[in-house]
Amino acid sequence: MQSKYFLDVRYLLDSSTLYVETGLLAIGMTFIIVSGNIDLSVASMTALVACVTAKLMASGWSIPAGCAAGLVLGLVLGGFNGILVAKVKLPSFVVTLATMAVYRGIAQVLLGAKSAKLPASFVGLDMMHLPGHVPLPLVIFLVIAVILGVVLHRSLFGRWVVAIGTNESASYFAGLPTAAVKISVFALSGFLAAVAALMMNSRLGVARFDDARGLELDAITAVVLGGASIFGGKGTMLGTVLALFLVAVLRIGMGVADVKAEYQLAVIGTLLVVAVLAGNLSAKVNAKR
Amino acid sequence: MAFGGVEVLKGVDIDLFPGEVHGLIGENGAGKSTLGKLIAGVHRATGGTLAINGTPRVLTSPRQAMDLGVALIHQEPLTFPDLDVAENIFVGRQPQNSAKQIDWKGMYRSADELLASLGVSLNSKAKVRGLGVADQQMIELAAALSQHAKVLILDETTASLTPKEVGELFTIIKRLKSEGCAIAFVSHRLDEVFEICDRITVLRDGEKVGERIPAQSSIPDIVRLMVGRDVAAAAARPVGPDQPVMLEVTKLSQGSVFHDVSFEVRKGEIVGMAGLVGAGRTDVACSIFGINPPTSGEVKVDGKVVQIRSPKQAMTEGLALVPEDRQHHGLLLPISIAENASLAILRSLTRGGIIQSKKIGDNAETYRAKLKIALRDVNQPVKDLSGGNQQKVVLSKWLLTQPKVLILDEPTRGIDIGAKAEVHRLMRELADSGLAILMISSDLQEVLTISDRVLVMREGQLVKSLKPGEATEESVMLAATGQVAHAS
């Protein structure tokens, strides 16, 4: 099936609101991967924060208070991952694989199979536009990407993240606060997952425990496709953002062309493998030159 | 042969004869290991011919070389830590019984025979994890002999061995030689080469610059060939008690690793710390620097008692540590020289949290000039540099923190003779400018030439402190090995 909507700029711009949430996860994931770690729990953190804030607002919390609580919760969930990685010294893969299940499990305990409705005044961020039909969520995403891009590439914190991802023990020997940096990186990932959760709540109007299911795959794919090394020490914010748009356009394209969801998943998975292969290959070619 | 666009070996001719030990020596980067690896099929030559037993061959893999009787023994043996000794010897070709199952009994028997023939007392059923480097090399050697290797290439095999283990290895080499093996001995320890080799080929910058018979040559002669010029040694110079003590360590202990270590380093003094590998020298350094904090004892820096729990804190107290393992602990290899040099002081180069790249570049340029670091561009990755220049980058990093006490752990390991003299000269300059230096080294020659005072550690204890006059190769070795001096 061909569709006339795919190349419609307004349609693409509107669709972007579906992907900026993934994009926020990918920004956090860029810091995580560059620091030599992985965070599989991002999507679960988004789901849990979404459920908790929805429940709080439903039980009478004001919108600002609910949002603030959600953001703090994101920091705590991410920070907890970080402490297990940096202080207990467990591999981030295992830690976040476990918390991926735990965080979503708590969300399910909280809401069960029901969905929590959000107050009407909180719903509809994705329908707000700047002049030129630019959706507000896209603007928020780009502003965060630019700020954190500067942090990653130009700030002391960013250089520390790169140093630790390149060689953690050498960084420690050089007097870098390696544990604090790692905890911060995971807390940042949790915080961005919480921002994504708030956007998702506002867009959907309801929260469910299975919100954002599987988004960690898209986020990791975008980061690796954007040129980051899965082994740490290398990666750019611009690469992540461009790759994210590529993944988004691919998904939108497949959606418009009526490709079934399971096939879409297979295509994104394949893209991840190809991205890793291409990264390894170019590294080898460079080494040989 | 070319690597990374650089020609590594240029038209080198070499003959290995049965019953002869042939030394391959040269500075780091001279191409000696590459030559060894070419012969063993690890790398493929881009030109020239290789004949084994008179037949020209093109080797495509170490496997094929092995089948032709050529084996390579590595400096860091490649073993399987969770398999036992016999399985490591026969890995991939375990003997099978008639039912196509592994003949365990036969395997352990053959392994025991091989180890006995090497004169090694290793339990063939012991797991390899936890065995020392020397034992693991014996396993590689046994594996090679089990496949009837006739040409053995020992690639820097002695670099991580203690003197006693080197002696044992040499006994084995001599026996293999008498049995008709052709042996290539790659090393940059000249005394060993002179002891064991029947012929020496010297490489410089990938070219063969000479072939010598040890009996008709001398160490200075070979050194001149290796570096292409004479190398002057730095002279020791005692420091008076009028100089303030910058580092004072009292009864420092850490569990069972080392105990009751006490010493001091004065301003302007270079104190050498000798001892065998595993005597606890690196542990003392790491402990002072807060990596593994001590369990008891006291450390004073510049007269002030300090409780250091992390390298970060050590840095603020005015300590600096150039670690032994440059690649894992000293440098961020893929990152630029400039950033590596500024890593420890990055915090002070920011304005509003943003890094001022210009300052990073300026710092690197300053130290490039000061330490004479040979580089093309301070923004190139540090891994492009030679070992000696990499070490100078690590030094720059620590000098930028303006330390009071500099601890150097094996500062010249793996760097060539020319660069070594450079590092020694720098150490002397730094001491003269008021730095207190503690240098750990397993290179006895180095300890003796550069130190103003020599400390000797053995089995976790500081057993001796020797003044310049008293420190000789013999007195240090006797203290380090715990043997009683022969009455003279």
Side-chain angles (χ1 to χ4, degrees):
Chain A
M1 264 302 283
Q2 291 286 317
S3 166
K4 61 180 179 191
Y5 296 115
F6 184 56
L7 285 178
D8 180 338
V9 174
R10 289 169 74 97
Y11 176 74
L12 279 177
L13 279 173
D14 278 337
S15 301
S16 76
T17 57
L18 296 170
Y19 293 94
V20 294
E21 292 147 16
T22 314
L24 289 169
L25 304 188
I27 290 174
M29 194 69 75
T30 307
F31 279 85
I32 295 269
I33 288 182
V34 170
S35 80
N37 288 288
I38 191 88
D39 187 352
L40 300 174
S41 73
V42 277
S44 295
M45 290 194 282
T46 301
L48 181 52
V49 171
C51 291
V52 169
T53 48
K55 200 137 190 194
L56 287 178
M57 288 183 195
S59 68
W61 285 46
S62 71
I63 288 173
C67 289
L71 295 176
V72 171
L73 178 63
L75 277 174
V76 170
L77 297 176
F80 180 67
N81 283 337
I83 287 168
L84 287 181
V85 171
K87 291 288 184 188
V88 191
K89 301 198 175 7
L90 297 172
S92 56
F93 177 82
V94 176
V95 168
T96 59
L97 184 65
T99 54
M100 169 163 91
V102 171
Y103 292 163
R104 197 175 289 277
I106 298 174
Q108 192 170 9
V109 168
L110 214 59
L111 289 189
K114 295 196 295 279
S115 45
K117 229 169 137 19
L118 285 138
S121 53
F122 184 68
V123 180
L125 182 72
D126 59 312
M127 306 307 266
M128 296 181 192
H129 291 90
L130 260 56
H133 201 73
V134 182
L136 195 53
L138 182 63
V139 177
I140 296 174
F141 165 73
L142 289 175
V143 168
I144 292 179
V146 168
I147 293 173
L148 290 181
V150 171
V151 169
L152 180 61
H153 298 296
R154 294 271 173 272
S155 82
L156 179 65
F157 178 74
R159 297 321 291 171
W160 279 352
V161 170
V162 173
I164 289 168
T166 306
N167 184 340
E168 190 180 336
S169 41
S171 304
Y172 182 67
F173 271 72
L176 266 53
T178 49
V181 171
K182 282 201 281 184
I183 294 172
S184 310
V185 164
F186 277 95
L188 175 67
S189 177
F191 180 81
L192 291 172
V195 176
L198 298 178
M199 283 194 181
M200 190 173 280
N201 274 352
S202 173
R203 178 167 62 85
L204 298 174
V206 289
R208 290 170 48 89
F209 83 90
D210 59 355
D211 274 349
R213 175 153 272 177
L215 285 196
E216 66 278 341
L217 173 67
D218 290 43
I220 294 170
T221 304
V223 176
V224 176
L225 191 64
S229 161
I230 199 75
F231 305 111
K234 197 171 142 263
T236 64
M237 195 56 74
L238 182 65
T240 296
V241 171
L242 291 178
L244 179 87
F245 284 130
L246 181 68
V247 172
V249 167
L250 201 64
R251 283 251 190 190
I252 296 168
M254 288 192 291
V256 173
D258 228 359
V259 176
K260 285 206 186 80
E262 51 268 37
Y263 291 120
Q264 290 193 22
L265 211 56
V267 168
I268 299 300
T270 310
L271 194 62
L272 176 57
V273 174
V274 170
V276 175
L277 276 180
N280 277 353
L281 213 64
S282 70
K284 272 191 192 143
V285 169
N286 278 332
K288 278 208 177 127
R289 248 190 321 117
Chain B
M1 185 65 203
F3 268 137
V6 183
E7 239 188 349
V8 180
L9 283 176
K10 284 165 271 188
V12 175
D13 294 327
I14 182 170
D15 298 304
L16 302 179
F17 297 104
E20 190 176 85
V21 181
H22 195 133
L24 282 180
I25 65 169
E27 295 189 298
N28 268 42
K32 52 193 192 302
S33 283
T34 308
L35 181 56
K37 284 177 176 154
L38 275 182
I39 302 172
V42 177
H43 300 314
R44 228 176 300 177
T46 45
T49 54
L50 171 71
I52 299 171
N53 261 334
T55 320
R57 304 276 185 182
V58 178
L59 295 179
T60 53
S61 71
R63 177 79 256 160
Q64 193 198 353
M66 190 68 247
D67 289 340
L68 294 168
V70 181
L72 176 68
I73 313 296
H74 301 86
Q75 175 185 351
E76 298 298 335
L78 310 170
T79 51
F80 300 87
D82 291 313
L83 300 182
D84 64 31
V85 169
E87 287 176 286
N88 265 284
I89 295 176
F90 291 105
V91 71
R93 36 184 191 86
Q94 290 91 339
Q96 295 178 340
N97 60 20
S98 47
K100 287 272 169 201
Q101 285 179 327
I102 292 181
D103 176 10
W104 292 97
K105 249 193 188 156
M107 187 175 84
Y108 288 114
R109 200 177 47 240
S110 319
D112 286 333
E113 281 166 16
L114 272 168
L115 292 170
S117 78
L118 281 171
V120 185
S121 57
L122 257 182
N123 179 358
S124 60
K125 288 183 180 159
K127 290 264 184 290
V128 165
R129 187 180 297 284
L131 290 184
V133 174
D135 286 338
Q136 297 188 38
Q137 286 174 350
M138 288 307 145
I139 293 171
E140 277 203 337
L141 203 55
L145 296 180
S146 77
Q147 297 172 81
H148 313 290
K150 296 310 277 176
V151 180
L152 289 171
I153 295 145
L154 307 181
D155 187 7
E156 305 266 16
T157 9
T158 56
S160 351
L161 301 188
T162 63
K164 183 163 163 280
E165 290 166 337
V166 171
E168 286 163 2
L169 178 68
F170 281 6
T171 315
I172 293 168
I173 292 179
K174 281 172 195 154
R175 252 237 332 289
L176 294 171
K177 179 176 119 178
S178 67
E179 286 165 12
C181 280
I183 295 166
F185 185 82
V186 180
S187 177
H188 55 245
R189 290 196 188 169
L190 294 177
D191 44 345
E192 290 176 2
V193 171
F194 268 82
E195 185 183 339
I196 194 76
C197 297
D198 303 302
R199 190 189 297 275
I200 299 172
T201 290
V202 183
L203 298 175
R204 186 171 71 223
D205 302 330
E207 285 179 278
K208 180 168 170 174
V209 289
E211 188 172 310
R212 293 282 191 279
I213 304 291
Q216 298 157 15
S217 177
S218 65
I219 290 188
D221 173 39
I222 297 286
V223 169
R224 220 169 299 122
L225 272 179
M226 283 168 73
V227 300
R229 63 192 148 81
D230 284 306
V231 181
R237 195 189 29 117
V239 171
D242 52 315
Q243 290 298 321
V245 174
M246 297 308 279
L247 175 69
E248 187 176 356
V249 174
T250 319
K251 288 195 174 299
L252 202 69
S253 303
Q254 189 190 77
S256 59
V257 185
F258 60 84
H259 27 266
D260 286 350
V261 172
S262 304
F263 63 88
E264 80 283 323
V265 185
R266 289 177 190 277
K267 187 172 179 177
E269 189 179 33
I270 300 179
V271 174
M273 200 183 241
L276 301 181
V277 173
R281 297 168 300 165
T282 298
D283 305 281
V284 170
C286 286
S287 187
I288 296 172
F289 201 61
I291 291 158
N292 297 304
T295 45
S296 68
E298 192 185 76
V299 177
K300 273 193 203 168
V301 178
D302 201 4
K304 182 180 134 213
V305 179
V306 291
Q307 299 270 348
I308 295 172
R309 296 270 165 248
S310 70
K312 191 177 162 214
Q313 213 184 331
M315 211 173 95
T316 21
E317 298 295 353
L319 297 182
L321 171 72
V322 174
E324 176 181 10
D325 188 336
R326 203 161 44 234
Q327 308 220 330
H328 292 108
H329 299 148
L331 292 169
L332 310 174
L333 291 174
I335 305 281
S336 75
I337 294 162
E339 209 169 317
N340 266 287
S342 287
L343 185 63
I345 55 152
L346 216 46
R347 191 196 290 272
S348 66
L349 303 182
T350 58
R351 190 189 289 153
I354 298 298
I355 304 272
Q356 297 172 284
S357 330
K358 194 181 164 303
K359 283 194 178 170
I360 293 183
D362 291 350
N363 277 336
E365 289 294 351
T366 310
Y367 276 86
R368 168 196 194 165
K370 256 192 198 166
L371 308 191
K372 302 202 176 66
I373 309 178
L375 52 84
R376 208 177 56 235
D377 177 359
V378 295
N379 292 315
Q380 75 188 108
V382 75
K383 67 175 174 213
D384 287 0
L385 299 182
S386 68
N389 284 308
Q390 286 187 359
Q391 190 67 308
K392 288 183 189 172
V393 175
V394 182
L395 259 177
S396 315
K397 172 168 78 181
W398 286 111
L399 295 178
L400 275 164
T401 68
Q402 297 176 321
K404 297 172 189 158
V405 180
L406 177 63
I407 305 173
L408 301 154
D409 194 354
E410 304 286 0
T412 59
R413 165 166 295 178
I415 70 180
D416 56 54
I417 293 187
K420 202 163 166 174
E422 274 281 284
V423 170
H424 289 166
R425 185 186 56 75
L426 276 172
M427 284 170 65
R428 180 51 68 192
E429 273 179 30
L430 292 169
D432 288 346
S433 71
L435 209 57
I437 298 181
L438 175 66
M439 177 193 71
I440 296 171
S441 175
S442 296
D443 182 338
L444 206 48
Q445 213 53 53
E446 171 171 88
V447 171
L448 294 174
T449 38
I450 187 88
S451 310
D452 299 325
R453 206 147 50 81
V454 178
L455 306 173
V456 185
M457 278 195 76
R458 170 164 53 89
E459 291 167 6
Q461 278 179 302
L462 193 71
V463 290
K464 202 112 195 162
S465 171
L466 298 159
K467 292 192 196 70
E470 308 165 348
T472 63
E473 215 155 312
E474 202 186 357
S475 62
V476 173
M477 258 352 266
L478 287 176
T481 52
Q483 285 155 358
V484 186
H486 296 293
S488 54

